[in-house]
Amino acid sequence: MLTYRRSPLATLFLGALIFALPAWHATARADGSDTCCADLEARIAELEETTARKGNRKVSVTVSGWANEAIFSWDDGVERNTYIGTNAVEQSRFRFVGEAKINADWSAGYILEVGVQGHPSNQWDQENISSEHKLASNREFALNLRKSNWYFKSKKYGQAAVGLNAMATYHLLDDADPTLTRNVNDIEGAAVFLGAFKLRHNGAFIGGLRWTDALRGIANSTPGDGLRRDVVRYDTPEWHGFSAAASIGETYLGDVMANYKGDIGDYTLVVRGGYGLSNDPGTMLSAPEGTSVVGGTACISGSTTVTSKPDFHCRWGGVGSTIMHNPTGLFLYGGWGRFSASTEHAFPAGTEFISTSNMFFLQPGIERQWNSLGKTNIFGEYRRDDSGSAAGKTVSANVDTWQLGAVQKIDAADMLVYVVYQNSSGDVFGNEVTEKAKGAPAGKTSLDPFQIVVVGSKINF
């Protein structure tokens, strides 16, 4: 994290150099050589140009972020390949935070956060490493605005923010994990690593179905987690380890979250729970490449708002928790998430639609310092998804995902190096409607296992 403030000592040193330049320059001219002084003047000018300055003298500006790039080696039973790109679990990004003191208790500030991606790992498939998403912000070699909001903050009364921001349930389940895995493989990681890869049955593609059609959820196909949206958000101050948050947006979009973190004897306990509601299906955009939906909550379909009307409601929520035994570093992280969509007259008579999806997970592991570099985390994970309908594509699905992984912290570089192995399999269910639409065949169709190994690094600045 870099804070651009010139220290008094640096200012004094630079002033002394500038003050002394005329005398040095005259001396150099006296002996017939001014090469050294010219070099010194050029160096001072270079230092001045590369020094970041505040927008004004009241607000301190901090620049921070990270780069998170990885190697992804995958095998779907027929094809195998290795891709290199941005790990979309914790996308590379940079952030500007400005803050000014109003008085001893109150401060005001702003956050601007921009995502940076090479090849986004949640967009590629067996046929193309390059993203073919309809929105330019989800393409390769792109920047996308993640947050843009201002806030007032009080030690006594909490914080209120307005603008593009994380909703209260954003990373609801992920942030219940205080270990190193949170930074490179949160609970959304299982779905993100599956990317936009297509489903296979007995070696053949199942129409145009993808793993994202077998997994449901408004945030990276993970039931329970919320979104980033234009909202008013309020966070309470912490009280004996307890805190809470709530956010509300237009067209009614809102959620609440409660959190506890504290030590009980030799154990550290983190518990988070929340609930969200939306009746905003999003806005249809027309683009040269086609149409796409932005904003809202794509509970039913991510490609059209037609199936989300005329009466659309989306609800999500869940609970996540971690308990760690501090003397040994042994921990257990787990949770449950759910989301449901309700709509009237959205589908033709007789169309089967299952509105609710459930997911639970368990991640046991150990995290402790075995070497001089920093802490090491070794973990396993099991995640089970019982998914509702993907409109026009599936009636339901179930997916089992297993993971094994390790994360090494390098304290001296504020860096993480990680490796994750993942295996996913399951079944999809369809009927005559989905079969006719070239989605899931009628009845049950087993899915060929999909395996992936991810090796990467996340370095903070």
Side-chain angles (χ1 to χ4, degrees):
M1 182 174 292
L2 303 175
T3 301
Y4 292 112
R5 297 189 178 111
R6 185 183 295 160
S7 69
L9 183 60
T11 302
L12 181 62
F13 176 69
L14 189 57
L17 285 179
I18 294 172
F19 180 78
L21 268 177
W24 292 340
H25 194 57
T27 302
R29 286 187 181 278
D31 65 13
S33 173
D34 62 356
T35 303
C36 66
C37 298
D39 289 344
L40 182 59
E41 287 176 315
R43 179 57 179 155
I44 291 172
E46 180 184 344
L47 287 170
E48 287 283 3
E49 289 176 0
T50 57
T51 300
R53 291 175 171 81
K54 304 172 187 177
N56 58 58
R57 296 183 180 182
K58 304 292 185 182
V59 180
S60 64
V61 179
T62 302
V63 181
S64 63
W66 59 73
N68 188 8
E69 306 294 316
I71 302 167
F72 301 77
S73 296
W74 55 268
D75 183 344
D76 71 355
V78 175
E79 299 179 63
R80 57 184 62 89
N81 206 336
T82 297
Y83 293 164
I84 300 174
T86 304
N87 186 343
V89 174
E90 287 292 328
Q91 176 190 42
S92 300
R93 67 195 64 179
F94 58 90
R95 172 190 288 186
F96 299 91
V97 178
E99 186 164 291
K101 280 283 196 181
I102 297 174
N103 56 38
D105 186 40
W106 287 91
S107 60
Y110 65 85
I111 297 174
L112 293 173
E113 183 177 285
V114 179
V116 182
Q117 57 198 27
H119 292 297
S121 66
N122 59 345
Q123 299 296 329
W124 54 40
D125 60 25
Q126 287 95 328
E127 299 173 331
N128 201 343
I129 187 175
S130 299
S131 169
E132 297 184 344
H133 199 279
K134 296 172 183 178
L135 293 179
S137 60
N138 288 327
R139 300 282 183 83
E140 61 274 12
F141 313 123
L143 300 177
N144 59 76
L145 184 62
R146 296 175 55 87
K147 293 182 181 179
S148 176
N149 62 81
W150 57 260
Y151 61 85
F152 282 110
K153 181 168 64 176
S154 163
K155 298 174 185 177
K156 182 177 181 180
Y157 298 105
Q159 176 176 302
V162 177
L164 178 59
N165 199 0
M167 296 182 67
T169 55
Y170 185 64
H171 287 317
L172 173 69
L173 304 177
D174 308 325
D175 288 342
D177 178 9
T179 73
L180 295 179
T181 59
R182 168 65 183 89
N183 296 280
V184 295
N185 180 40
D186 56 35
I187 193 54
E188 295 178 15
V192 173
F193 291 156
L194 290 170
F197 285 102
K198 297 179 180 179
L199 297 174
R200 288 187 185 273
H201 169 69
N202 291 337
F205 288 134
I206 308 173
L209 290 181
R210 303 176 186 271
W211 283 96
T212 48
D213 297 316
L215 299 172
R216 312 301 301 144
I218 59 175
N220 286 324
S221 300
T222 301
D225 279 352
L227 303 162
R228 282 177 285 109
R229 289 294 183 264
D230 285 295
V231 294
V232 177
R233 171 169 170 155
Y234 171 70
D235 289 79
T236 70
E238 183 179 315
W239 181 75
H240 297 288
F242 292 93
S243 61
S247 68
I248 186 168
E250 58 185 352
T251 320
Y252 196 70
L253 173 73
D255 61 354
V256 293
M257 180 276 298
N259 179 80
Y260 172 77
K261 181 177 181 180
D263 291 333
I264 303 173
D266 287 338
Y267 294 87
T268 294
L269 177 65
V270 180
V271 183
R272 289 170 59 87
Y275 173 82
L277 170 67
S278 171
N279 65 0
D280 179 11
T283 302
M284 181 76 74
L285 281 185
S286 294
E289 301 85 356
T291 58
S292 187
V293 170
V294 296
T297 45
C299 278
I300 299 176
S301 172
S303 60
T304 176
T305 61
V306 175
T307 54
S308 298
K309 297 178 178 178
D311 182 22
F312 169 81
H313 290 89
C314 181
R315 296 173 175 85
W316 64 92
V319 177
S321 180
T322 296
I323 185 167
M324 172 178 278
H325 184 238
N326 296 313
T328 62
L330 291 168
F331 68 88
L332 178 63
Y333 165 46
W336 163 84
R338 176 175 180 162
F339 98 105
S340 63
S342 62
T343 183
E344 294 179 3
H345 315 299
F347 304 101
T351 300
E352 186 176 2
F353 182 77
I354 298 175
S355 63
T356 300
S357 299
N358 289 283
M359 178 275 302
F360 75 87
F361 65 96
L362 289 172
Q363 184 188 102
I366 184 170
E367 180 174 295
R368 59 186 304 170
Q369 189 156 344
W370 282 301
N371 57 64
S372 60
L373 293 174
K375 287 185 177 181
T376 304
N377 182 304
I378 301 172
F379 70 94
E381 181 177 296
Y382 171 68
R383 169 173 160 167
R384 168 75 178 195
D385 286 80
D386 292 306
S387 305
S389 300
K393 298 177 180 180
T394 68
V395 172
S396 64
N398 52 63
V399 176
D400 295 297
T401 299
W402 297 88
Q403 289 184 343
L404 290 173
V407 186
Q408 176 64 54
K409 179 76 181 294
I410 303 177
D411 290 330
D414 198 4
M415 183 179 188
L416 297 171
V417 180
Y418 56 90
V419 58
V420 180
Y421 165 77
Q422 177 172 306
N423 184 305
S424 298
S425 60
D427 307 290
V428 293
F429 298 83
N431 57 17
E432 292 79 5
V433 175
T434 59
E435 186 170 30
K436 186 176 180 180
K438 298 182 180 180
K444 175 182 175 181
T445 302
S446 60
L447 305 177
D448 293 349
F450 183 91
Q451 300 180 81
I452 190 166
V453 175
V454 182
V455 180
S457 179
K458 175 177 177 281
I459 184 166
N460 300 314
F461 62 86

